[in-house]
Amino acid sequence: MSEKLWIFDTTLRDGEQVPGCQLNTQEKIVVAKALEELGVDIIEAGFPISSPGDFNSVLEISKAVSNPIICALSRAVEKDIEVAAQSLKFAKKGRIHTGIGVSPYHIQYKLRSTPEDIIARGVAAVKFAKRFVDDVEFYAEDAGRAESDFLNKIIEEVIKAGATVVNIPDTTGYCLPEQYGAIIASLKNNVPNIDKAIIATHCHNDLGMATANTVAGVQQGARQVEVTINGIGERAGNTSMEEVVMAIKCHKSIEVHTEIVTPKIYNTSRLVSKLMNMPVQPNKAIVGRNAFAHSSGIHQDGVLKHRENYEIIDPIDVGVAESTIVLTARSGRAALKHHLDALGVELEGDALREVYEEFLILADNKRDIGRKDLLGLVGKYVEESNFIELGKVTYSSNGAIEAKVSLKIGDQEHTSTAHGNGPVDAVLKAIEKSAKPAVELEEFLIQAITHGSDDVAKVHMRLIKGDKPYYGFASHTDIVLASAQAFVDALNKIPVKEYATA
């Protein structure tokens, strides 16, 4: 029977240390509630001594959620621990997370201390924290570079003092997986009272090995993993929660299980990304927009025949509606037919072969092939091409910002006006008035692709309709116009049969 692996989420503490990604208390509560629904066991809600805002966030999160343990960070300093305890006074289940540096670097250069003093300070901190809460976690900062005998000794002593969890951080992301796994194994084999506490991993991603090191730690006996949504965190980030959870779910040989409700992973990822204004890289494992996208003809053909040919995870398991077959010059005939079928255009034999040859010529010269392009290719095989065309776009500001947009939808002309917080917002609202697409704008990115006062901006949008993603792209010197073009480009990729019911 598998053992439980405790999921300790530090998105709101370590993850929030990313420059420019700080959240206010209300936003933190929104994330905390999402983490509770996701099924995390422990939420590290903040570092209360660091600021009044952090103190208040821990206090309010403690009121807002019921199931997870709420954890507050402190240094091995009595004042820190007292303030942490005060911030947890409303927590249904509270934990104080205290600790100290244990590597030669930290002992000598950061703390200007001795190994004996470090042990004494660690033990004293745990004993002091036990006055306030039963659940005390001790972190051995920079354990990844600590001397093995010293690490074993301090862990033994803090467990004697009452630590219920011992956190073994690879603070600098230095370790290789076999090295980190060996550290956990050494604790299991050489600390006589290790069975009295849970071993926790806390790995940073400086060398890109945070997930690998965490899994190696679990394989050697760690039963708590400290992670963040999307792998956000200091410098190159922390261990990604979604990567560890899905790696364990895929590999049944690792005999542990989590309480994570995996179909909620994707939406939680998007929530954190949106609130922190930190886009998820397209090729990010599990939650990146390309994680279940296929553009190679060989891969597309294999996935369309049997998903598991190229996907080890069912997209639905992480909350993604389905895989995406992206049309590029490397796409095969099967992918083209898949998209044509979605448009309601059924071609076979010579007709399909002819359209495919024309498609390859077009794809060699155009990066993004959309619905309008496909309808153009098959125009002689269909009676009607009912797509949206963007006409004149104007906007002005006389106290309030107003936009006016002309559209051609099928054979009908539409003109709409709308007000917004800015010109882009107003223009998109005007388009929505006419097109009525019933979509959610989930991602909106602007990138300069030239330099100077006449920069050309490239706009990328991701729309969601019925849990399915649709992408729009455009470039222009006018950001407002580029945004309108990208929005319409995405709308044009919605299949006719779905758009008709929008």
Side-chain angles (χ1 to χ4, degrees), residues 15-86:
E16 205 215 8
Q17 292 177 188
V18 179
C21 292
Q22 285 68 45
L23 303 177
N24 61 38
T25 296
Q26 192 55 47
E27 290 169 331
K28 287 185 178 182
I29 290 172
V30 171
V31 173
K33 288 182 176 180
L35 294 174
E36 181 176 35
E37 291 183 9
L38 185 61
V40 305
D41 300 295
I42 305 104
I43 296 174
E44 189 167 47
F47 183 13
I49 195 69
S50 66
S51 73
D54 244 34
F55 178 91
N56 189 58
S57 292
V58 178
L59 199 73
E60 294 302 321
I61 289 170
S62 296
K63 297 176 185 177
V65 301
S66 301
N67 295 324
I69 296 167
I70 304 302
C71 181
L73 185 74
S74 78
R75 295 165 297 183
V77 176
E78 287 192 356
K79 183 62 176 176
D80 279 31
I81 294 168
E82 287 177 346
V83 173
Q86 292 167 12

Side-chain angles (χ1 to χ4, degrees), residues 141-189:
E141 188 177 8
D142 204 20
R145 298 188 295 174
E147 293 177 352
S148 180
D149 289 344
F150 176 73
L151 180 62
N152 292 342
K153 181 62 177 174
I154 193 170
I155 293 302
E156 179 182 353
E157 294 303 318
V158 297
I159 293 174
K160 285 181 184 177
T164 51
V165 180
V166 287
N167 176 12
I168 313 301
D170 182 22
T171 304
T172 60
Y174 172 76
C175 290
L176 298 173
E178 58 266 29
Q179 293 173 325
Y180 188 76
I183 292 171
I184 305 301
S186 176
L187 294 171
K188 292 286 287 185
N189 296 328

Side-chain angles (χ1 to χ4, degrees), residues 28 90 118 163 185 191 320 413 435 446 480 482 497:
K28 287 185 178 182
F90 296 113
I118 294 300
V191 176
V320 177
E413 301 285 347
I446 300 174
V480 178
K497 56 187 178 183

Side-chain angles (χ1 to χ4, degrees), residues 149 167 203 215 319 501:
D149 289 344
N167 176 12
C203 299
V215 172
T501 59

